[in-house]
Amino acid sequence: MEIFLDIKMTRQVTLFIFVLSLGFVLGQVSYSIPEEMAKGSLIGNIAHDLGLQIKRLTSGKARIFTRDSDEYVELNRERGVLLVKERIDREALCKKTTPCALHFEIILENPMEFYSVAIQITDINDNAPTFEKDKIHFKISESAVIGAKFSLERAVDLDVGINDLKSYTLKPTDNFALKLHNNPDGNKNVEMVLQKPLDREKQEQINLVLTAVDGGEPQMSGTMLIVITVLDINDNAPVFTQQIYKATVTENSSKGTVVAVVSASDADEGPNSKITYSIRNTLDDVRRTFKINEENGEVILIGNIDFEESRIYQIHLLASDEGGLTDSCKLIVDVQDTNDNIPEIHIMSKSTIISEDASINTVVTMISVEDKDSSQNGNIKCYTQENMPFSLKSSKNYFYSLVSDSELDREMASEYNITVTCSDEGVPSLSSSVTLTLQISDVNDNAPVFERSSYEAYIVENNTPGLSIFTVKATDADWNQNARVSYILEDSSVNGVPVSSYVSISADSGVIHAVRSFDYEQIKDFQFHIKAQDGGSPPLSSNVSVKILIQDQNDNPPQVLYPVQTGGSVVAEMVPRSADVGYLVTKVVAVDVDSGQNAWLSYKLQKATDRALFEVGSQNGEIRTIRQVTDKDAVKQRLTVIVEDNGQPSRSATVIVNVAVADSFPEVLSEFTDFPHDKEYNDNLTFYLVLALAVVSFLFITCLVVIISVKIYRWRQSRILYHSNLPVIPYYPPRYSDTLGTGTLPHVYNYEVCRTTDSRKSDNKFGGAGGQNVLIMDPSSTGTMQRIQSEKSILDEPDSPLEQKPPNNDWRFTQGQRPGPSGATGGPEVAMGTGPWPQPPTEAEQLQALMAAANEVSEATATLGPGTMGLSTRYSPQFTLQHVPDYRQNVYIPGSTATLTSNPQQQQATAQQATQQALPPPQASAQAEPPKAAQTPASKKKSTKKEKK
């Protein structure tokens, strides 16, 4: 049935509708639009022109199918119109071919339909005429006769129709005129005709401008410069033997093939008769495909020839002599087709998934086939492989539909790889194929199946709640959601309690978990049902029976039934002293609520007052005597019996059996009155004793560490003071003297002592009486340098600073001059200078002296004369000698064994003693304690060690 509709619009629309037996409609509609329309421009209302509703375009997923790779048109489903997708250039699309049209199909689904659409592209004047060269040269003899013709290159205009090339103009026209010749093919040959003789002597070169004009609106043009060089005498032009040559060539011929040979002759002689051949084609593919031998006129193939791209070539040839005269001809080359193109298969519409319950003749894919070859080489046949539930059905114009031709089962084959092969009828035949992958979608037609018809599982009692017992597994032959199995615990009860309080099951994995801790003594087994259900719609399911068996565990210790253990009273078994060997004293009775080997009990005697008197039966728990009871056996017998089961690990219970070896009850009563002891009290007492011992040990160790730390700290302080380079604080304030006249130093002297670590390099400088006392400290010693007085002549001795001399009589002490505690006495050796060095003051004496000096320093300032210090009356002569040691009288020089004295009387006494070396000392000196030698650094260290000890 054909329907023709004529629509009067700005475009012509023709609609053809064909109703096909395959269930889809084929229609055709055409439009006409100009080239170079902007993107998004409206082409036509395709829905209206096809008589379709817009919702049909949307529901049918309408789309454009084109065999070419470039898409210039797009379909707007919502508006039902065709729009320009890409800019359309008619010249690039069709070149000189008219009419120029785009052909494509509009595909709809559900049900599948397609419509053919043709859009004719009309030309607009968008290309100006152009010449291949901007400038050409002519050499024309001056003897050229009037009316001589010169062929010019034609301009090329890519537009067609009225927009094509229309006319030429030549300026200036002094010597030449323009002449046009119409060819049968519609083109025009342009010739330049000499209308005035040339005179090389007047004008050697002539420049002309050739203008080509088209007929479009607005009008466009192109120009070319013609440069003419005037030559001498060449009045015969070359002449071709034919004006039109014809030749044939097979496509895909090899390069270098000679297509044709052209020939021209020239009546001139010499150089003017030499002819040169050339190709005049411009702006096309001729020069890239062919070339001509300039000397012999052979036309040779230099490019590839494809019948599908160009079926005929027109080659314009030019013959020129040395004088510039030319002649032209045309060579027409026909291209013969060969079977060099395979059929091209295009998928118009396809479904990648089809349901397994789809009906027969369901359309799966629509394809179109094209072969660019012609005649028999372009005839195509298509087919699929055998043993497939699909077949190809053909329609006109090489369109095919792939339909199902039998029932499908996804469980047997979930995927099909369908190969469609198309071959042409050429010799040899060429073919191509495409493989379509089709998935079969699942339908829930299989119920889950358990691996076993029933299950049994074991679990040990006293399990942890949530423990995994075992796993049930069911499989479903379906796929995806239809094969997703969920496990459900069906409602039932065990001993009146819901089974869900005993076990639970994971819906995804099928793992059965224990909800509670089982006790074998309460329940030994139970049974329930599990349902496996898939995720299809509607869901399918199956059931299975599960039985749980609980295994016993040794979780109960034996329980002693006899003898009964009571906390308040003591129960004793009596054994007469006349009992024989094997006498049954009592029997320990125990039970175990476990089962099997866990309930097998054995009895052992753990402790007993007399192990040689009793024994316990390992199986029956009977306590019997193993020897004759004697009078020496103690009345009180205490037996500890342990009862063990046979489990792994075993559990046990102990029982204490008190046995009285006596013949009468009063004897037993008197012995057992103090039998029970407070075991807890003894245990607590032991704990407290151990705790007290630990506390005392900790305190002792702490005190010991503290004492050692203090000792080490004091020793380090003394070492720091000994090695320090800083001066030591003196015991008395400076300028100290006794104003009462009872002291041993009535005058004040200044001394300068320069000390180094090497005593041989030390220097002493003694001055006269002055207003200040200078106290010099030895940085290498902890002692105090006392004030000294001596004669200046001592320093004049050449060896006094360098050598250490033994002490003489001038360096001896009297009792008043002796340092140390008051009231000390010494022997005769003191006066001779052979006694021990004086000891330094104790810490108590140093502190007492410092405090006394500090309290009186302000009062003494008012009574001082130049270079003296006054003290209060509390420092009486008695106090001076008996309470505060006098440290002003002696000076110890480190590095020597001498002690300087500052008392003149002592110096005189010393001089007298020098003259009387054998005389005994005075009585007062004899009664005084010998002075101790001044303490050296070495003796200081020794005394410090002694104090520490």
Side-chain angles (χ1 to χ4, degrees):
M1 179 179 181
E2 299 182 359
I3 302 174
F4 298 94
L5 300 177
D6 293 333
I7 302 175
K8 299 299 183 177
M9 300 175 60
T10 59
R11 306 171 182 84
Q12 284 187 343
V13 180
T14 305
L15 175 65
F16 301 91
I17 301 176
F18 301 90
V19 179
L20 303 179
S21 59
L22 295 179
F24 58 91
V25 178
L26 174 64
Q28 181 173 350
V29 63
S30 63
Y31 297 90
S32 177
I33 62 173
E35 66 173 334
E36 303 293 341
M37 290 183 67
K39 280 186 180 182
S41 299
L42 177 65
I43 297 175
N45 192 330
I46 190 65
H48 178 269
D49 297 337
L50 294 177
L52 298 176
Q53 295 183 357
I54 294 178
K55 65 180 182 178
R56 170 60 182 141
L57 296 178
T58 305
S59 62
K61 298 179 181 178
R63 66 184 186 279
I64 292 176
F65 168 78
T66 177
R67 296 174 182 175
D68 299 326
S69 58
D70 297 327
E71 293 184 5
Y72 297 95
V73 180
E74 65 179 353
L75 174 62
N76 189 318
R77 298 177 187 169
E78 288 75 17
R79 297 168 54 191
V81 296
L82 293 176
L83 303 175
V84 175
K85 183 177 181 181
E86 296 291 340
R87 185 183 68 84
I88 301 174
D89 187 0
R90 193 205 65 79
E91 287 75 19
L93 186 64
C94 301
K95 297 184 178 179
K96 286 288 186 177
T97 303
T98 56
C100 180
L102 292 175
H103 299 276
F104 57 90
E105 285 75 27
I106 295 179
I107 309 299
L108 288 87
E109 298 178 358
N110 299 322
M112 288 188 180
E113 299 174 346
F114 77 97
Y115 300 89
S116 297
V117 179
I119 299 178
Q120 183 176 354
I121 310 301
T122 60
D123 184 48
I124 63 173
N125 190 25
D126 58 339
N127 292 281
T130 57
F131 293 91
E132 182 182 17
K133 298 179 180 179
D134 296 332
K135 180 192 298 186
I136 62 172
H137 295 269
F138 283 94
K139 295 180 179 180
I140 303 176
S141 175
E142 62 179 350
S143 62
V145 297
I146 296 175
K149 300 178 181 179
F150 303 93
S151 296
L152 302 177
E153 290 184 3
R154 292 184 303 167
V156 177
D157 194 335
L158 298 179
D159 295 326
V160 296
I162 192 173
N163 298 321
D164 199 358
L165 185 63
K166 183 179 180 181
S167 61
Y168 292 88
T169 59
L170 182 64
K171 292 182 181 181
T173 59
D174 297 336
N175 297 97
F176 295 91
L178 195 64
K179 186 175 183 180
L180 303 178
H181 297 280
N182 293 327
N183 291 331
D185 58 358
N187 294 322
K188 294 181 180 181
N189 289 335
V190 183
E191 293 180 345
M192 183 174 60
V193 180
L194 182 63
Q195 61 181 2
K196 181 180 178 181
L198 299 176
D199 188 356
R200 189 190 65 81
E201 287 70 22
K202 291 184 178 181
Q203 190 175 7
E204 184 179 359
Q205 181 174 307
I206 301 173
N207 293 328
L208 304 178
V209 177
L210 179 63
T211 304
V213 182
D214 63 16
E217 288 294 333
Q219 197 174 54
M220 304 181 75
S221 63
T223 61
M224 179 179 65
L225 177 65
I226 301 173
V227 178
I228 300 174
T229 302
V230 180
L231 302 177
D232 286 334
I233 312 208
N234 184 21
D235 55 351
N236 290 291
V239 177
F240 279 101
T241 58
Q242 301 180 47
Q243 288 297 313
I244 298 176
Y245 293 86
K246 291 187 177 181
T248 60
V249 64
T250 304
E251 69 171 329
N252 299 325
S253 295
S254 60
K255 295 180 181 180
T257 301
V258 178
V259 177
V261 178
V262 297
S263 177
S265 61
D266 194 323
D268 294 327
E269 294 182 356
N272 293 327
S273 63
K274 185 179 179 180
I275 300 174
T276 302
Y277 300 93
S278 61
I279 297 176
R280 296 170 43 200
N281 291 67
T282 59
L283 300 178
D284 54 17
D285 297 335
V286 171
R287 291 191 175 182
R288 290 192 293 269
T289 308
F290 302 94
K291 75 173 183 177
I292 188 170
N293 192 314
E294 294 182 352
E295 295 179 357
N296 56 22
E298 289 182 349
V299 179
I300 302 172
L301 182 66
I302 61 173
N304 296 323
I305 296 179
D306 191 350
F307 175 83
E308 288 72 34
E309 291 185 0
S310 180
R311 300 186 180 188
I312 189 171
Y313 290 92
Q314 292 186 7
I315 305 174
H316 298 278
L317 303 176
L318 180 68
S320 303
D321 62 13
E322 291 295 327
L325 300 179
T326 62
D327 190 16
S328 61
C329 70
K330 181 190 297 184
L331 172 62
I332 299 175
V333 180
D334 291 328
V335 181
Q336 294 181 346
D337 183 36
T338 59
N339 189 25
D340 61 340
N341 291 283
I342 63 174
E344 296 179 359
I345 302 174
H346 302 281
I347 307 297
M348 298 174 60
S349 177
K350 70 175 182 177
S351 298
T352 58
I353 299 175
I354 184 173
S355 176
E356 63 177 322
D357 60 351
S359 59
I360 298 176
N361 291 327
T362 298
V363 179
V364 176
T365 302
M366 296 179 63
I367 63 175
S368 68
V369 185
E370 179 187 11
D371 194 324
K372 294 182 179 179
D373 293 325
S374 61
S375 187
Q376 294 296 323
N377 297 330
N379 295 335
I380 305 171
K381 291 183 179 179
C382 296
Y383 55 90
T384 61
Q385 68 265 44
E386 298 180 354
N387 301 324
M388 281 282 182
F390 301 95
S391 62
L392 276 176
K393 290 188 176 182
S394 175
S395 63
K396 57 187 300 186
N397 297 332
Y398 299 113
F399 287 96
Y400 293 88
S401 298
L402 181 65
V403 298
S404 60
D405 59 2
S406 62
E407 294 182 354
L408 305 175
D409 188 357
R410 193 205 66 84
E411 286 69 40
M412 294 181 63
S414 61
E415 181 180 279
Y416 289 95
N417 291 321
I418 307 168
T419 301
V420 178
T421 303
C422 297
S423 59
D424 58 26
E425 296 180 358
V427 179
S429 178
L430 300 178
S431 64
S432 63
S433 61
V434 62
T435 300
L436 305 174
T437 300
L438 186 62
Q439 303 284 344
I440 308 301
S441 63
D442 185 44
V443 175
N444 191 26
D445 55 352
N446 294 280
V449 178
F450 283 96
E451 295 177 347
R452 290 154 56 179
S453 59
S454 63
Y455 292 88
E456 281 190 0
Y458 296 87
I459 184 172
V460 180
E461 66 169 335
N462 299 321
N463 58 285
T464 304
L467 177 68
S468 173
I469 301 175
F470 77 108
T471 304
V472 296
K473 183 68 175 179
T475 57
D476 195 315
D478 293 324
W479 182 74
N480 204 357
Q481 186 67 22
N482 296 329
R484 182 177 180 181
V485 180
S486 299
Y487 301 92
I488 302 172
L489 181 64
E490 292 203 345
D491 294 335
S492 62
S493 61
V494 178
N495 297 332
V497 179
V499 70
S500 59
S501 63
Y502 286 88
V503 292
S504 65
I505 186 169
S506 174
D508 296 329
S509 62
V511 179
I512 297 177
H513 299 273
V515 176
R516 62 168 63 178
S517 178
F518 296 109
D519 190 352
Y520 176 80
E521 288 72 32
Q522 294 181 3
I523 183 171
K524 293 180 173 53
D525 60 69
F526 60 94
Q527 189 171 354
F528 55 91
H529 290 84
I530 292 176
K531 180 173 69 174
Q533 179 176 292
D534 61 24
S537 179
L540 302 177
S541 63
S542 60
N543 296 342
V544 71
S545 175
V546 179
K547 185 176 183 181
I548 304 295
L549 301 174
I550 300 171
Q551 294 179 336
D552 183 38
Q553 191 182 39
N554 189 26
D555 58 339
N556 293 286
Q559 298 179 2
V560 179
L561 303 180
Y562 184 84
V564 179
Q565 300 294 301
T566 59
S569 61
V570 178
V571 179
E573 304 291 340
M574 292 186 60
V575 177
R577 293 187 179 275
S578 60
D580 296 331
V581 176
Y583 177 81
L584 179 61
V585 179
T586 185
K587 182 177 182 179
V588 177
V589 180
V591 294
D592 195 322
V593 296
D594 293 326
S595 63
Q597 292 186 358
N598 297 330
W600 295 354
L601 302 180
S602 61
Y603 303 86
K604 296 179 183 179
L605 183 60
Q606 186 180 27
K607 290 193 292 184
T609 304
D610 188 357
R611 280 186 171 273
L613 184 57
F614 301 100
E615 69 174 357
V616 179
S618 61
Q619 303 298 329
N620 52 22
E622 294 180 351
I623 301 176
R624 296 179 180 273
T625 59
I626 58 177
R627 64 174 176 80
Q628 182 69 40
V629 180
T630 64
D631 294 338
K632 295 181 180 181
D633 293 328
V635 176
K636 295 187 297 182
Q637 296 287 335
R638 183 183 178 94
L639 308 179
T640 301
V641 179
I642 183 170
V643 184
E644 292 183 345
D645 58 23
N646 199 34
Q648 290 296 331
S650 63
R651 292 179 174 268
S652 63
T654 57
V655 60
I656 298 175
V657 180
N658 297 314
V659 178
V661 181
D663 293 328
S664 62
F665 182 78
E667 183 181 358
V668 175
L669 185 61
S670 62
E671 291 293 337
F672 278 84
T673 53
D674 58 342
F675 187 82
H677 295 284
D678 191 355
K679 185 176 182 300
E680 181 179 359
Y681 172 78
N682 293 334
D683 293 342
N684 293 336
L685 181 60
T686 302
F687 169 77
Y688 289 129
L689 289 177
V690 173
L691 181 62
L693 179 60
V695 171
V696 171
S697 300
F698 174 77
L699 294 177
F700 172 77
I701 294 173
T702 303
C703 294
L704 186 62
V705 171
V706 171
I707 292 173
I708 293 174
S709 301
V710 171
K711 289 291 185 181
I712 293 174
Y713 174 78
R714 290 182 177 179
W715 178 78
R716 290 190 63 185
Q717 289 296 106
S718 65
R719 296 290 297 173
I720 293 173
L721 185 62
Y722 176 74
H723 291 287
S724 174
N725 290 327
L726 298 175
V728 180
I729 300 175
Y731 296 129
Y732 292 98
R735 303 174 59 86
Y736 178 82
S737 66
D738 193 348
T739 59
L740 298 179
T742 58
T744 59
L745 189 64
H747 300 285
V748 179
Y749 292 88
N750 291 338
Y751 304 96
E752 291 182 7
V753 180
C754 300
R755 300 291 296 137
T756 65
T757 55
D758 189 355
S759 62
R760 294 177 297 175
K761 298 179 181 179
S762 302
D763 184 22
N764 292 344
K765 183 178 180 181
F766 298 88
Q772 293 182 353
N773 290 330
V774 179
L775 185 64
I776 304 301
M777 306 302 299
D778 183 4
S780 63
S781 173
T782 59
T784 304
M785 294 292 295
Q786 307 295 330
R787 296 177 178 86
I788 63 174
Q789 179 180 3
S790 179
E791 294 294 334
K792 185 176 181 181
S793 59
I794 298 176
L795 300 176
D796 297 334
E797 296 179 7
D799 57 345
S800 59
L802 301 175
E803 298 182 1
Q804 177 179 339
K805 295 183 178 181
N808 53 27
N809 296 334
D810 296 337
W811 300 89
R812 297 194 180 109
F813 289 97
T814 63
Q815 180 183 3
Q817 297 171 341
R818 180 183 56 82
S822 62
T825 59
E829 66 273 13
V830 174
M832 299 301 296
T834 59
W837 291 97
Q839 294 290 336
T842 64
E843 293 182 1
E845 294 173 341
Q846 295 176 10
L847 181 61
Q848 185 179 11
L850 288 173
M851 291 177 62
N855 291 334
E856 296 296 333
V857 66
S858 61
E859 298 177 3
T861 306
T863 59
L864 289 176
T868 63
M869 177 182 291
L871 300 178
S872 63
T873 57
R874 60 182 296 185
Y875 294 99
S876 61
Q878 295 82 5
F879 178 80
T880 303
L881 295 178
Q882 298 183 4
H883 295 85
V884 180
D886 190 354
Y887 300 100
R888 300 169 299 165
Q889 304 165 2
N890 306 314
V891 174
Y892 161 67
I893 302 176
S896 69
T897 60
T899 302
L900 300 180
T901 179
S902 59
N903 192 345
Q905 298 177 358
Q906 181 65 27
Q907 294 179 3
Q908 295 177 1
T910 305
Q912 294 176 0
Q913 291 176 2
T915 59
Q916 301 176 2
Q917 297 180 357
L919 294 178
Q923 184 70 25
S925 301
Q927 296 178 356
E929 182 181 356
K932 297 181 180 180
Q935 195 172 17
T936 63
S939 63
K940 178 66 177 180
K941 294 181 182 180
K942 294 179 181 179
S943 63
T944 304
K945 294 181 180 179
K946 292 179 181 180
E947 289 178 359
K948 290 182 179 180
K949 293 181 179 180

